[in-house]
Amino acid sequence: MRGRTKAAGDYFSGSVSTITVRILLIAAMLALPLSAANVGIFQGFNNSLFAKRFEWAPRQATGNVVFVAIDKHSLDAVGTWPWSRSIYAALLDKLIASGARDIFLDVDFSASSNKHEDDRLAAALERAGGGVLLPVFRQQETASSSETAVTRPIPEFLQNAWPAFANVAMDADGIVRRFDLGNQLDGNPTQSAASALGRIGSSSGSLLVDFSIRLDTVPTFSLFEVLNGSIPAAAVRDRSIVVGASATELKDIFAVPVYGAIAGPLIHVLAAETLLQNRFLRMLDQAPLELLFAVLLIVGVISGRSTGIITMAAAGLTMVIVGEIGAFLLQSRYGFLVGTAVPWSMLLLAWMLALNERVDLGRMLVAIANTEARNTRRLMRRIIADSSDGVVAFDGDLRIVEVSESAKALLRADIGASLLDGADTAIIGMLQRLVSEHDAEPGKIHTALADFTGNSGLQAVHYEASITISPTEQTDARATAARSRFAGCLIIRDVTARREYEQRLKTLSELDELTGLLNRREFASRLAALEGDVLVAVVDIERFSSLCATLGRDAGDELLKAVATRLGNAFADDLLARLDGDHFGIATFATGERQIDDLADGLLRLFEEPILLRGAVVPVSVRLGIARSGDAAPGALPTAAESALDASKAAPGRRWSPFDPSTAVRQARSRRLERDMRDALQNRQFFLLFQPQIEFRSGRLVGAEALIRWSHPEFGLISPAEFIPIAESSGLICDIGRWTLFEACTEAAAWPSELSIAVNVSALQFERSDIEADVRDALSRSGLPSSRLCLELTESTFLDQGGPSIAKMRALRETGVVIALDDFGTGYSSMSYLADLPLDKLKIDQSFVRRMNGNPSIFEIVRAIISLAHGLKLQVVAEGVEEEPEAEALQRLGCEMGQGYFFGRPDASVRMLSKWSVQKFLSAEV
């Protein structure tokens, strides 16, 4: 062994000579100045040093640039983002009135809003007298295209504002260090926001941002503070203003040196401050000086062989200290950025060159390698001996060369023994196969896994054996004729606990933990494997939630166990599962003529007897849904049975239902509409139509009711009668109702002042949402007077929660909003609550209006309703007026207003107003 190590050392020392190392080091020193400038590690080191020097020499901001931040406080106070453009109009008026010099609105105005909002901002820009900068952005048209396009504000805004480029350019590492002075816009040179605020004439090229300017010295105010007038005018007078987002929620955040991450508008502030302070940072071409420094170092090292290594190290450290101080002073005082990564790397190579001149590195490396080899050998022996796994190292003759104590006990073999004598037959077979593979391909590494079982007393023990055979180098040329040599490793691990754990996991993944029945996934999997005609029933415990609320959750669990036991006794040979909650599944083979009827009757009879629970007799009633093979794919039969169960629940008095494909299609459509409804609001698939409301006495238009419609991209126009119940059951009715309220108010704000707008409010929306806040917000944003808004409520709004609902109605009515009772006559229509409700109008349901002329009884009911309403000092609106006789009869009875196809179908706002000859008033209002 010693002879082999010595031979390796002689070979290595002969090839890695002192002269060779010297040439390599000198070549590296000369190459660094020419090639390292663009290497990422050197750039990163230099950028870190630049940032540290900025941090060590902080500078005060001039205070001439003020940052007005759209922060979290502003978002909470003003409302949901994006804001209406009237907010920015009010902000501009405030800033101009306070004497601000230049204002840069770092907000994207490239898309039109509604005309009212756009006009307000355009007017504010005109009042500002050309002192406002609006951002333009140059960006790629597509991710894969090199073509660029400019995103700019809409033309109405640019008539009285200056465009300024607001692009933020990042370096390759994603950090912003530079800013552009400008770019070309429609062939004209256009400044960036920074160069305009920094008051320089240049509009091309780029400069480095001076990050030594402290952000905490930049005057910063919350936008909401400016809007509410809490900022003194002197704070912004004769100063440039940057308005932009700083709230984390708006995600306008960029990585920068020194500060880590800051809001995008603050980059424009720092860039403008850099220009205002004449901090034109520059970087020089250092390659010639670095090359000269490398030559001087090489000459100094070679000519100073007699100098001590400690002295040379001290001289090098002195160079580093002096150089860093000089670089710091150049950057802080004169704006020169000096990169020192390459010089200090060359200094390190020079120290290695000096060491090589004094020590034979080749021999030293060989000595180090030999020592490490011996230490590695000792370490490997210790690791193998102490391993909890059985570890065996063997040679090409399959004889053991190293073995751990645990492997000795398992194989009953020691060093020098053959593996073929004591190993399990599975290991022996795997060894022989791997040796054959090695003989066929001796240059590759071959591995395999083998499992075998042993005994430890009465308990079976599972083992996993990993075998690896690796080729070894041939030191003797004569050995090439013999079989190629290899070294092998056998690792034996006790995996009994893992196998038991995996088995437990498998059991848990298949069974319901509470009842011990199959879970849904395993039930469907086993169903898919069955052959023949199968019936699948889904059992639902009626009033289970009420039972749990009455008896307690623990009693509910015991009830589920009792139901599972009863099903297990009755269907012992069939598949049983707890699908979820209180739903159980049964799969049985169909036999006889009345298979589905017999199964349903048997299950219902099974629960005729009550269940004894905690000493109490609890009657249990169930509903069933049943599907059979052919109704769906085998694995999907539980879903089909659940569809049948839903149909059973929807039919009063029905205890079970078979699967009906048409019902399933309707349910699937409802589920699809519920999913799509979540995106419909964002994609503006909902829209409003308006049905006119006419005063009978004068025949003039007095208002309209807003009616929501849904234009589905696939199904086309969907009736509210279909999607409103889905929205109510899913809870989306609050969002849809809020959108309807805002849209209707915004639309009606542009109508003549004598016209009102009526908006339906769902009972669920009225109960669950903050309807008072929504109404205030809608009126505030649209500018619609409260007296022109009518909220139409049905009786179900206050039947369940009369007190709180009536309190809400009173609060709304006190703001000036009109309250109408919709669909009167179709609900309870109790006289006891009608006198107490804070109402202004009562709407007669269309089912009465359409039948009143042909039915004297209905006519008298309508007469009574109108008389009752007038006695309560309520106005009356009749819905569903389709014929002239109906309109005449209602007018004779004293009904104030009518609505229906006789006056006009629901239509777009402009067409509705045009039909009633009020377009000239509309134009005047707009």
Side-chain angles (χ1 to χ4, degrees):
M1 183 69 181
R2 285 198 205 95
R4 195 177 303 169
T5 304
K6 185 176 183 300
D10 292 339
Y11 172 80
F12 192 86
S13 63
S15 60
V16 186
S17 65
T18 302
I19 296 175
T20 304
V21 174
R22 178 190 301 166
I23 293 172
L24 291 174
L25 290 172
I26 291 174
M29 292 175 66
L30 294 174
L32 275 178
L34 303 175
S35 60
N38 297 321
V39 176
I41 187 171
F42 292 101
Q43 286 182 337
F45 186 72
N46 281 333
N47 286 331
S48 298
L49 286 176
F50 297 154
K52 281 296 178 186
R53 293 169 195 159
F54 282 138
E55 193 174 344
W56 293 335
R59 308 174 70 87
Q60 297 281 332
T62 64
N64 291 326
V65 182
V66 175
F67 179 42
V68 175
I70 303 174
D71 53 8
K72 188 177 188 307
H73 176 54
S74 299
L75 291 178
D76 294 340
V78 175
T80 306
W81 186 266
W83 291 340
S84 62
R85 289 175 177 174
S86 57
I87 300 295
Y88 302 109
L91 175 66
L92 287 178
D93 290 339
K94 288 277 187 182
L95 292 173
I96 295 299
S98 299
R101 185 166 54 187
D102 297 317
I103 304 170
F104 173 48
L105 277 180
D106 191 11
V107 179
D108 184 9
F109 294 119
S110 59
S112 297
S113 180
N114 66 66
K115 190 175 187 307
H116 177 69
E117 292 291 327
D118 287 347
D119 288 348
R120 291 189 65 177
L121 180 54
L125 290 170
E126 184 177 2
R127 290 192 294 273
V132 179
L133 302 174
L134 296 181
V136 296
F137 305 91
R138 183 171 294 279
Q139 53 194 0
Q140 289 179 307
E141 291 186 346
T142 62
S144 60
S145 171
S146 60
E147 297 294 327
T148 60
V150 175
T151 300
R152 68 190 76 196
I154 61 177
E156 295 94 314
F157 296 163
L158 285 180
Q159 289 177 359
N160 294 288
W162 295 98
F165 278 97
N167 291 79
V168 175
M170 292 181 287
D171 288 350
D173 58 357
I175 296 178
V176 178
R177 297 185 178 89
R178 293 182 166 272
F179 66 97
D180 292 334
L181 294 175
N183 210 317
Q184 292 290 319
L185 179 62
D186 299 332
N188 298 315
T190 303
Q191 288 186 306
S192 67
S195 61
L197 297 175
R199 302 197 171 276
I200 67 169
S202 179
S203 61
S204 63
S206 63
L207 291 175
L208 291 164
V209 179
D210 185 359
F211 286 101
S212 65
I213 299 171
R214 288 173 48 192
L215 277 178
D216 57 357
T217 64
V218 174
T220 302
F221 304 106
S222 172
L223 184 143
F224 182 68
E225 293 175 338
V226 177
L227 284 177
N228 65 19
S230 60
I231 304 302
V236 297
R237 184 176 296 118
D238 294 328
R239 289 173 170 82
S240 297
I241 311 296
V242 174
V243 180
S246 68
T248 306
E249 298 92 320
L250 301 184
K251 300 179 181 178
D252 190 12
I253 304 297
F254 295 89
V256 299
V258 181
Y259 301 109
I262 63 174
L266 281 173
I267 296 176
H268 300 302
V269 174
L270 288 178
E273 283 284 349
T274 301
L275 296 175
L276 290 173
Q277 299 188 31
N278 293 319
R279 291 284 291 170
F280 296 96
L281 303 178
R282 297 174 294 277
M283 297 180 68
L284 302 176
D285 182 9
Q286 299 178 202
L289 292 175
E290 289 170 349
L291 194 59
L292 177 60
F293 184 58
V295 173
L296 292 175
L297 286 175
I298 293 168
V299 173
V301 169
I302 294 176
S303 62
R305 288 190 180 94
S306 59
T307 306
I309 196 70
I310 301 300
T311 303
M312 297 199 73
L317 182 60
T318 302
M319 289 183 194
V320 172
I321 294 172
V322 173
E324 281 300 323
I325 292 174
F328 170 73
L329 294 174
L330 286 171
Q331 180 171 325
S332 61
R333 294 186 180 180
Y334 306 108
F336 287 104
L337 274 61
V338 179
T340 53
V342 172
W344 305 154
S345 299
M346 292 190 297
L347 197 59
L348 177 61
L349 292 174
W351 188 85
M352 295 176 63
L353 179 62
L355 187 65
N356 183 65
E357 294 297 314
R358 292 156 179 76
V359 182
D360 187 344
L361 284 182
R363 292 185 182 278
M364 185 176 70
L365 292 174
V366 170
I368 293 172
N370 289 337
T371 302
E372 289 183 351
R374 288 193 295 272
N375 290 337
T376 301
R377 180 72 174 174
R378 294 191 190 99
L379 179 62
M380 289 303 299
R381 284 179 176 172
R382 175 55 58 190
I383 291 173
I384 290 174
D386 296 343
S387 174
S388 59
D389 293 333
V391 181
V392 179
F394 55 91
D395 59 17
D397 297 323
L398 301 184
R399 292 197 174 276
I400 299 173
V401 295
E402 295 290 349
V403 62
S404 66
E405 294 299 323
S406 55
K408 285 181 184 179
L410 183 63
L411 299 176
R412 293 182 295 279
D414 207 335
I415 295 174
S418 173
L419 266 179
L420 301 178
D421 293 339
D424 186 90
T425 55
I427 295 178
I428 292 173
M430 193 63 66
L431 275 170
Q432 292 171 340
R433 183 174 68 81
L434 287 177
V435 170
S436 300
E437 291 178 359
H438 174 76
D439 290 342
E441 296 180 288
K444 291 186 177 181
I445 297 174
H446 302 274
T447 62
L449 288 174
D451 294 332
F452 63 97
T453 304
N455 291 311
S456 177
L458 299 176
Q459 184 180 7
V461 183
H462 302 280
Y463 295 101
E464 181 183 80
S466 173
I467 308 170
T468 303
I469 287 180
S470 305
T472 57
E473 294 183 3
Q474 303 293 321
T475 58
D476 187 354
R478 294 173 296 179
T480 56
R483 187 174 68 185
S484 299
R485 296 186 60 79
F486 61 83
C489 179
L490 167 64
I491 300 176
I492 303 174
R493 178 166 297 165
D494 185 342
V495 293
T496 304
R498 190 179 78 189
R499 292 290 171 81
E500 292 175 351
Y501 179 67
E502 289 172 351
Q503 185 59 41
R504 287 198 300 273
L505 284 181
K506 185 175 183 296
T507 301
L508 289 173
S509 70
E510 294 176 349
L511 303 182
D512 173 58
E513 185 177 2
L514 179 66
T515 62
L517 303 180
L518 297 176
N519 59 29
R520 185 186 193 94
R521 183 186 57 79
E522 187 64 20
F523 184 62
S525 175
R526 296 193 186 185
L527 261 178
L530 292 179
E531 296 181 359
D533 196 5
V534 178
L535 295 178
V536 174
V538 174
V539 179
D540 171 62
I541 303 173
E542 288 194 281
R543 301 182 300 105
F544 180 72
S545 297
S546 301
L547 289 172
C548 289
T550 304
L551 303 175
R553 179 57 59 183
D554 292 340
D557 290 344
E558 291 182 22
L559 176 61
L560 292 174
K561 292 178 185 177
V563 170
T565 301
R566 187 169 290 189
L567 290 173
N569 293 335
F571 297 90
D573 298 328
D574 298 311
L575 291 181
L576 296 174
R578 182 187 174 204
L579 301 178
D580 54 55
D582 60 335
H583 286 187
F584 293 85
I586 303 105
T588 183
F589 286 101
T591 56
E593 292 294 328
R594 299 181 65 253
Q595 311 118 323
I596 293 182
D597 294 328
D598 292 343
L599 177 60
D601 293 341
L603 281 169
L604 293 174
R605 282 196 304 272
L606 189 62
F607 291 96
E608 288 177 352
E609 292 293 326
I611 291 177
L612 185 64
L613 194 65
R614 294 186 174 184
V617 175
V618 179
V620 175
S621 177
V622 297
R623 285 184 186 266
L624 312 175
I626 303 178
R628 68 179 304 157
S629 299
D631 290 338
L637 281 174
T639 303
E642 286 173 326
S643 172
L645 176 63
D646 291 340
S648 173
K649 291 179 179 180
R654 191 166 187 177
R655 301 295 303 281
W656 72 278
S657 288
F659 175 76
D660 179 13
S662 61
T663 301
V665 169
R666 288 195 301 272
Q667 292 170 343
R669 177 181 166 95
S670 296
R671 289 191 294 270
R672 168 70 185 280
L673 291 180
E674 181 179 342
R675 290 196 306 270
D676 293 351
M677 203 179 295
R678 300 182 185 277
D679 297 325
L681 274 174
Q682 296 181 1
N683 298 334
R684 300 195 66 83
Q685 295 173 12
F686 290 108
F687 64 96
L688 295 184
L689 297 178
F690 300 87
Q691 187 169 35
Q693 294 179 337
I694 306 303
E695 186 179 61
F696 282 119
R697 180 175 55 82
S698 63
R700 66 183 181 89
L701 179 71
V702 294
E705 180 180 358
L707 302 172
I708 189 171
R709 297 291 187 265
W710 182 6
S711 178
H712 192 281
E714 182 178 340
F715 301 141
L717 198 62
I718 299 176
S719 168
E722 181 178 5
F723 71 78
I724 290 296
I726 298 172
E728 290 181 333
S729 65
S730 65
L732 290 172
I733 190 63
C734 295
D735 293 332
I736 294 175
R738 185 180 300 109
W739 177 88
T740 303
L741 179 64
F742 277 60
E743 286 290 310
C745 289
T746 301
E747 190 74 29
W751 296 354
S753 58
E754 69 271 12
L755 300 184
S756 64
I757 183 69
V759 180
N760 287 288
V761 178
S762 161
L764 283 174
Q765 178 190 357
F766 196 85
E767 175 189 345
R768 297 179 183 178
S769 68
D770 190 351
I771 188 67
E772 299 165 64
D774 290 342
V775 168
R776 285 195 302 270
D777 200 8
L779 294 174
S780 173
R781 292 194 182 190
S782 64
L784 183 75
S786 59
S787 59
R788 293 176 58 194
L789 174 63
C790 175
L791 298 182
E792 297 189 354
L793 311 174
T794 59
E795 295 175 60
S796 58
T797 303
F798 41 82
L799 284 179
D800 294 332
Q801 295 188 347
S805 296
I806 292 173
K808 276 188 181 182
M809 292 169 65
R810 286 201 178 98
L812 287 167
R813 196 160 177 257
E814 288 172 2
T815 66
V817 173
V818 177
I819 306 294
L821 180 60
D822 197 12
D823 298 337
F824 185 79
T826 59
Y828 294 95
S829 302
S830 171
M831 300 302 106
S832 62
Y833 68 73
L834 192 58
D836 298 327
L837 293 179
L839 297 173
D840 298 287
K841 292 181 180 180
L842 186 147
K843 296 191 73 173
I844 304 175
D845 187 71
Q846 57 187 347
S847 60
F848 292 101
V849 173
R850 291 173 181 171
R851 294 185 294 158
M852 60 182 290
N853 282 335
N855 190 324
S857 299
I858 299 296
F859 184 87
E860 290 303 322
I861 291 175
V862 173
R863 183 200 300 273
I865 291 174
I866 295 174
S867 176
L868 173 66
H870 288 166
L872 295 173
K873 295 182 171 52
L874 303 179
Q875 289 186 317
V876 182
V877 182
E879 293 183 294
V881 181
E882 296 188 353
E883 303 291 343
E884 185 174 359
E886 297 167 359
E888 293 174 351
L890 288 166
Q891 184 177 358
R892 286 197 307 273
L893 292 174
C895 180
E896 284 84 1
M897 286 172 280
Q899 174 183 339
Y901 286 179
F902 178 66
F903 304 112
R905 293 177 178 269
D907 206 343
S909 172
V910 174
R911 287 195 294 270
M912 179 201 72
L913 294 173
S914 176
K915 289 177 183 177
W916 284 90
S917 301
V918 294
Q919 64 268 38
K920 59 182 178 181
F921 300 109
L922 178 65
S923 301
E925 290 289 329
V926 174

